[in-house]
């Protein structure tokens, strides 16, 4: 069974993302910030991480740097999910190890497309 970690300081975003990922048969856990997410990854590395940029305690970029430097930290597919949509932010996230990038707000179609791109789900038929 595939596992996902949703990292966002917004409870609503975590709830929406959880529902969408569970529809794709992911077992989902949540974290409110990068530090909680790092602890969760040390306990059990997920298959994918949906990651917000702006969070208290540890932001998404700091988390991504720490994750990728950790044992097993290159394994999860990381999809940044944020309102930061300029090319500099996207380039920075991808250069630090993010696999994909989506803008908020997002829907099931957008998320599923990115999950297909990173190889976590098969192409969905209409």
């Amino acid at each position: 069974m595939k596992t996902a970690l949703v990292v966002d300081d917004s409870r609503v975003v975590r709830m929406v993302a959880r529902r969408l990922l569970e529809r794709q048969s992911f077992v989902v856990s949540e974290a409110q910030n990068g530090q909680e997410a790092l602890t969760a990854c040390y306990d059990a590395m997920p298959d994918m991480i949906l990651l917000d940029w702006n969070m208290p305690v540890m932001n998404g970029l700091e988390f991504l740097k720490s994750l990728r430097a950790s044992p097993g930290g290159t394994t999860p597919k990381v999809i940044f999910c944020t309102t930061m949509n300029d090319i500099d932010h996207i380039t920075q996230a991808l250069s630090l190890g993010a696999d994909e990038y989506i803008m908020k707000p997002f829907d099931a179609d957008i998320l599923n497309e990115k999950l297909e791109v990173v190889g976590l789900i098969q192409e969905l038929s209409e």
Side-chain angles (χ1 to χ4, degrees), residues 85-110:
N85 61 4
D86 61 271
I87 193 68
D88 290 337
H89 282 97
I90 295 169
T91 302
Q92 185 177 17
L94 295 174
S95 71
L96 289 174
D99 296 285
E100 267 298 336
Y101 201 99
I102 59 177
M103 308 305 162
K104 290 179 184 174
F106 62 94
D107 61 17
D109 291 338
I110 293 168

Side-chain angles (χ1 to χ4, degrees), residues 44-116:
M45 198 64 74
D47 296 309
M48 73 87 56
I49 299 168
L50 189 65
L51 181 62
D52 186 23
W53 191 296
N54 291 313
M55 297 175 290
V57 183
M58 177 186 281
N59 70 33
L61 274 187
E62 294 166 335
F63 165 79
L64 184 59
K65 289 177 195 175
S66 295
L67 173 74
R68 293 305 194 208
S70 303
T74 58
T75 302
K77 300 295 185 184
V78 176
I79 301 174
F80 253 104
C81 177
T82 182
T83 58
M84 309 288 276
N85 61 4
D86 61 271
I87 193 68
D88 290 337
H89 282 97
I90 295 169
T91 302
Q92 185 177 17
L94 295 174
S95 71
L96 289 174
D99 296 285
E100 267 298 336
Y101 201 99
I102 59 177
M103 308 305 162
K104 290 179 184 174
F106 62 94
D107 61 17
D109 291 338
I110 293 168
L111 181 57
N112 290 341
E113 178 184 315
K114 296 303 182 176
L115 291 171
E116 287 176 30

